[in-house]
Amino acid sequence: MAGESSSVGKVLGEGGSLSRILPGYEPRPQQVEMAEAVAEAFDEGTRVVIEAATGTGKTLAYLLPALLSGKRTVVSTATKTLQDQILRKDIPLLRRVVGRPFEAVLLKGRRNYVCLDRVETFRQAPRFRTPGDRVHWGMIEAWVERTGSGDRAEVAQVPEDAPLWTELTVGAEACRGRECPHHAECFVVRARASAAEADLVVVNHHLFFADLALRDRTGVELLPSFEALVFDEAHHLEEIATGFFGLQVSNWRFADLLGDIRRMLRELAGPGAGSAGALPGVASAARADLDAVRAAAVTELEKAVNRADVEVNTFFDALAEAAGAEELRTGLAEVLDTPAGQRALAHEDAVHAAMGALRGRVMAASTGEAGARLSERIATLSAELARLLAREDDDLAWILERRGRGVFLLGLPVVLRPHFQELLLPVCDTQVYTSATLATDGNFAFFRSRTGLPADTAELLLPSVFDYMHQSLLYVPQGLPQPGAPTFIDDVAPEIERLVGLTEGRAFLLFTSYRNMRRAHALLAPRIPHRVLLQGEAERGALLEAFRADTHSVLFATSSFWEGVDVQGEALSLVVIDKLPFGSPADPLLRARSTHLETAGLNGFAHLSVPLAVLALKQGFGRLIRHRTDRGIVAILDERLVTRGYGRRFLDSLPRARRTRDFDLVRRWWASTKRED
Ligand code: SF4
């Protein structure tokens, strides 16, 4: 086997340490090849891009050379599932074969750790806004006494989105830093200190790019220094990084700031707070005068924060009304052009005036560091709101989003490449970019064009370890309706039912929209004689557990189940995909990015929409075969795959499965796999 004699080959290869300690271990040449490419990048301090399909064992293929190199490494992933796999499965295994002790830790964003200062403040004057708050507080208070990490994921009984967490955690802007009386025991400080000592730090892309953007803006670092960087699930880099290099103002951000000011207000107004009573050498009449001045400042601050609250809410209520739908992402200009949008705009000056007055009151009431920080935050938020509403910067796409009760104004970079080139590439010499889906049309040109990786970046496109030709069948039915037809789902429902009947359930039915998913579920759920699961009716992990537990179950889901889901064995024998997963042409960021390409003489559809959809389809397709013994059918109910010129780009990028448009052949193929079993 190639690479058996290399240091990574001696662990991963035929007769290597892993095969000696793991019964049934099957060495994979692709894994060894990837590990050698990563080892070379670590040895020489270079960059490499690697696509390694499902089943390659890519996490071990980069973790092993990283640990053998002795370089302090940051591994960044998009999903928690992958972080769990690295820390719970791969690292314990590697401890047995690396031959020297090493430290590997998970570092999360600040808001994942409970803030001891906030806990103390809350304990002194608890404010329960919902009955749930009281119950959650009981659990959190008991847990804080015994936790070693302060990682709120440890309190599984308190939901991630419980409102109390916003009271008990802080972002960088509200943290009191070295002034904090709890600094020495602070969980964030401790987590970062142990990360600074570790050989390997696992983070997510959000934390990584938050760090990169913060370093750029303020020079402050969240992550410890490192010598090597591995991005796994690197196909998410552009999408995630985009949010950190633009502007974002929301009603939540205002609420957070006003909440922090109210917290300071309570401290200032609390018993004895700021009283001049203790000042030595000050006559009692003068002390009384000073106390009266302070009390007046606190009263004025309270009025100012209440007024700001009213003006901000009026502004965002008008925007929400202008936007309409509760879940929406659209161009900001379109929203501001409506009558309610104009009302919001007309109210902008009132917001700035209220925030300006509030800033003055904060400075008057508090002379300390906390007041200065709040004052700075008020100024920054007002300035960002003004920039967003002025929309003068051509490099940003101006967007309005509604998510639940949140209203977000966004200015997102149309082209991310310069940010990558200026900030990411120089961060360290050794950089590995990997994923199961990075290549389109059999090369990395698209990924390179989006990230601006330099020409000397090495590439490795590994063949799959699975025999797709034997293990899978790609079926595109004949006579399909146009995917844009209003009755599309009604028309394809009989085909889905026929397929689910053939495989006796065991199916993921993946849809490109909630609307399609719900319609298909309404039509088919009563007709499917197996357990039917629907995304949204239970938490994702619970749904997957139920799916795995009942071999014949059928899951209706949307894009969030297109990736990061691993179901091995016969429980998943059929994946149905309703349409080619093109992004919505109405999406303002996609539109702005397409327009940018057009101005450079490139076709936005061919150079952006198609490659993005190809990568998404590869992810969806990848759900089916997770092991060498898996067999299954992928049905794509979109004729454009075979009738349009660009369909070939999809087909050429997918694993080389056997293909058919004939249901009889599907039936025979399925029967033959059953006989093999
Ligand atoms: S240092 Fe910051 S995060 Fe830590 S306890 Fe104090 S305020 Fe909270």
Side-chain angles (χ1 to χ4, degrees), residues 124-195:
Q124 283 167 13
R127 292 170 69 244
F128 302 113
R129 281 172 295 186
T130 67
D133 277 1
R134 191 178 291 277
V135 178
H136 294 152
W137 170 244
M139 294 171 184
I140 293 171
E141 194 181 22
W143 162 76
V144 166
E145 294 306 316
R146 58 174 195 274
T147 178
S149 74
D151 180 349
R152 58 190 237 192
E154 287 179 4
V155 213
Q157 312 92 309
V158 181
E160 266 180 53
D161 56 356
L164 199 55
W165 284 128
T166 54
E167 284 288 319
L168 302 178
T169 58
V170 288
E173 67 289 344
C175 170
R176 298 171 68 182
R178 294 199 173 275
E179 277 194 352
C180 173
H182 303 279
H183 190 266
E185 322 91 78
C186 171
F187 292 120
V188 177
V189 172
R190 277 157 53 184
R192 283 163 59 178
S194 64

Side-chain angles (χ1 to χ4, degrees), residues 231-474:
F231 281 117
D232 198 344
E233 301 177 315
H235 58 287
H236 281 297
L237 287 187
E238 185 179 18
E239 164 207 333
I240 293 176
T242 293
F244 293 93
F245 295 107
L247 298 168
Q248 181 181 127
V249 167
S250 65
N251 53 341
W252 295 138
R253 204 169 145 203
F254 271 99
D256 217 29
L257 173 60
L258 297 181
D260 287 343
I261 296 172
R262 287 209 164 90
R263 207 166 283 110
M264 184 184 82
L265 189 57
R266 284 197 295 278
E267 279 171 25
L268 291 171
S275 166
L279 292 178
V282 179
S284 61
R287 285 204 300 267
D289 284 350
L290 268 178
D291 283 346
V293 168
R294 283 208 175 101
V298 167
T299 307
E300 290 305 317
L301 174 58
E302 189 169 12
K303 280 191 210 156
V305 76
N306 289 340
R307 186 179 147 220
D309 207 359
V310 170
E311 304 299 2
V312 165
N313 281 329
T314 307
F315 172 78
F316 278 102
D317 285 351
L319 271 187
E321 186 190 326
E326 286 216 346
E327 295 295 323
L328 168 110
R329 178 177 164 105
T330 187
L332 182 55
E334 286 131 55
V335 173
L336 294 178
D337 278 349
T338 64
Q342 289 295 310
R343 251 192 0 261
L345 266 185
H347 206 72
E348 184 193 353
D349 286 347
V351 173
H352 290 309
M355 295 304 279
L358 178 60
R359 191 173 178 213
R361 293 301 174 196
V362 165
M363 294 302 280
S366 163
T367 49
E369 181 69 22
R373 264 203 312 268
L374 285 170
S375 156
E376 178 74 32
R377 282 172 66 192
I378 295 169
T380 305
L381 193 50
S382 286
E384 289 185 13
L385 178 66
R387 264 187 79 191
L388 275 155
L389 293 174
R391 290 167 287 142
E392 280 168 354
D393 188 341
D394 289 341
D395 295 337
L396 300 178
W398 306 101
I399 295 166
L400 184 127
E401 264 185 30
R402 280 200 74 188
R403 282 176 253 145
R405 286 186 295 130
V407 180
F408 300 80
L409 299 162
L410 309 171
L412 300 181
V414 176
V415 187
L416 211 56
R417 218 171 31 235
H419 297 280
F420 279 152
Q421 287 172 329
E422 279 164 36
L423 301 174
L424 176 58
L425 299 185
V427 85
C428 63
D429 290 339
T430 305
Q431 300 189 356
V432 177
Y433 297 78
T434 187
S435 164
T437 53
L438 278 186
T440 53
D441 307 304
N443 63 62
F444 295 106
F446 176 68
F447 183 70
R448 280 173 172 280
S449 74
R450 306 307 298 172
T451 51
L453 282 172
D456 62 358
T457 305
E459 294 179 350
L460 182 62
L461 181 48
L462 290 163
S464 174
V465 299
F466 301 135
D467 177 3
Y468 277 96
M469 203 48 110
H470 182 67
Q471 291 181 256
S472 61
L473 184 70
L474 170 60

